[in-house]
Amino acid sequence: MREVLRARIVLAAAEGLSNGAIALELAVTVNTVRKWRGRFALQGPGGLKDAGRSGRPKIYGPDVRVAIVAVATSAPPHPEATWSHRTIAARVAGTVFAAISASQVGRILADLDLKPHRVRGWLTRRDTPDFWDRVADVCDLYRNPPQGAVVLSIDEKTAIAARSRRHSRRPARPGEPAREEFEYRRHGTASLVAALDVRTGEVLTEVIARNDAATFTAFLDQLDAAIAPGQNIHVVLDNGSSHTAKHTKKWLAAHPRWTVHWTPPHASWLNQIELYFSAMTRRVLRHGDFSSRDDLIDKLETYVIGRNETAKPYRWTYDGTPLKAA
């Protein structure tokens, strides 16, 4: 890695860039650029290698480094899920090589930019040929809702925990933020389904015992009965199991005035009800204190009623710019 950086410095210099421009581009200091340009000018390609160092010579050669890489890139021992420097050192020491310390393993891995203890999530690619068509359809529905139709955004928020802190929260003071106890007691969970009227910003919620297709279509029945028979209904849904179940699709087929606009897979954030859930989480749930499940439900319903009194439609922006055609 070091030799690559030094070579990039020399190549950039060959292109006529100044020391300052090279340092800025490669995120190094100007002194580093001067050093390796000078070494290359005096010694050629050999000058880019490390100079001889005083002190004890290396006792771990390339074979040890290869063994460390082989261990770090393999599956960890049962039942552990990730490697640590200590476990790598123990595994390497169990081979034909001499004992090696965990700190030395760490230095070798750092030099190779190999971090077996860090795990990042990733999403398996799912081809959606009509991705942009779906995005354009949902965005156009928000920007140009059909005249005289009701436009709804519906989804569930499940497993909301009713937790109470073991000690009372301390309010904020000048120069000191509010403090809350990290220990808590559990009092069960609650789930709800919500429908957002995209035109007005008003929301109708219902606490649900189960998150399945039968519960979802029962909620749709309530909405269908509450909306005037002559109005068409457009609804934005994600690809949750209760929305795509055969039972739900059968219900939708039996109610032709309902038109569904599906968000693409892994893009449920296009559903505006998620904005409402986000605000509810920040205002009520994240730092809330609930003595019981009923207390949680009461506070959620109070929040919904109060917000509906001053409801406004969402005006989406991206980097300060109003939502445009996809």
Side-chain angles (χ1 to χ4, degrees):
M1 298 296 293
R2 297 171 182 170
E3 287 79 1
V4 171
L5 175 62
R6 296 164 190 173
R8 292 179 65 186
I9 291 173
V10 172
L11 291 174
E15 294 177 357
L17 296 180
S18 66
N19 290 350
I22 297 173
L24 183 63
E25 179 179 343
L26 300 180
V28 296
T29 65
V30 175
N31 286 337
T32 298
V33 177
R34 292 196 187 103
K35 172 182 177 179
W36 295 110
R37 288 188 69 170
R39 288 271 292 268
F40 182 80
L42 292 175
Q43 304 176 32
L48 301 183
K49 298 181 180 180
D50 287 332
R53 298 178 183 271
S54 60
R56 187 177 64 178
K58 289 183 178 181
I59 60 175
Y60 302 111
D63 52 352
V64 176
R65 297 169 71 90
V66 169
I68 290 174
V69 171
V71 172
T73 55
S74 65
H78 179 78
E80 299 184 18
T82 59
W83 287 104
S84 68
H85 295 165
R86 187 178 300 277
T87 54
I88 292 174
R91 177 63 64 86
V92 171
T95 64
V96 296
F97 306 107
I100 185 171
S101 67
S103 59
Q104 183 63 37
V105 169
R107 285 189 285 270
I108 292 174
L109 292 176
D111 186 51
L112 298 172
D113 194 27
L114 182 58
K115 303 171 183 177
H117 60 287
R118 295 188 61 182
V119 179
R120 290 184 178 178
W122 65 293
L123 183 65
T124 303
R125 179 177 176 180
R126 179 175 176 181
D127 290 329
T128 309
D130 60 345
F131 179 90
W132 290 111
D133 293 334
R134 292 198 195 186
V135 171
D137 177 53
V138 173
C139 291
D140 185 62
L141 179 67
Y142 292 150
R143 295 174 65 246
N144 305 298
Q147 189 69 28
V150 176
V151 180
L152 302 176
S153 171
I154 303 178
D155 201 7
E156 299 91 352
K157 187 171 181 63
T158 60
I160 307 171
R163 302 183 299 185
S164 62
R165 305 290 170 179
R166 291 185 177 273
H167 301 281
S168 300
R169 181 178 180 178
R170 296 181 183 179
R173 300 177 181 178
E176 183 179 332
R179 296 179 181 273
E180 64 183 13
E181 173 65 41
F182 69 90
E183 291 187 352
Y184 56 84
R185 297 182 178 89
R186 298 178 182 270
H187 303 289
T189 62
S191 300
L192 57 82
V193 58
L196 166 72
D197 188 326
V198 172
R199 291 181 185 273
T200 66
E202 294 180 314
V203 172
L204 174 67
T205 63
E206 181 185 1
V207 177
I208 55 177
R210 301 185 64 179
N211 180 25
D212 55 18
T215 302
F216 182 66
T217 54
F219 183 66
L220 297 183
D221 280 328
Q222 295 184 40
L223 295 173
D224 191 62
I227 298 172
Q231 286 186 290
N232 290 326
I233 304 171
H234 291 257
V235 58
V236 178
L237 295 176
D238 63 20
N239 298 272
S241 58
S242 62
H243 307 160
T244 58
K246 292 181 180 179
H247 179 80
T248 302
K249 291 184 176 180
K250 183 178 179 180
W251 188 97
L252 292 169
H255 296 75
R257 69 167 178 157
W258 286 73
T259 301
V260 179
H261 302 259
W262 300 99
T263 64
H266 310 306
S268 59
W269 42 267
L270 279 170
N271 203 343
Q272 282 195 11
I273 192 64
E274 299 295 344
L275 299 175
Y276 189 86
F277 287 154
S278 176
M280 176 184 288
T281 300
R282 295 193 305 271
R283 300 292 298 278
V284 181
L285 300 176
R286 183 168 297 159
H287 300 290
D289 194 276
F290 311 103
S291 59
S292 65
R293 181 176 181 273
D294 289 340
D295 182 40
L296 168 64
I297 294 172
D298 177 69
K299 289 179 178 177
L300 289 174
E301 291 178 344
T302 302
Y303 173 80
V304 172
I305 293 171
R307 191 173 176 106
N308 279 343
E309 292 176 353
T310 58
K312 294 181 180 179
Y314 285 106
R315 182 175 178 269
W316 275 11
T317 61
Y318 178 78
D319 194 24
T321 303
L323 179 68
K324 297 180 180 180

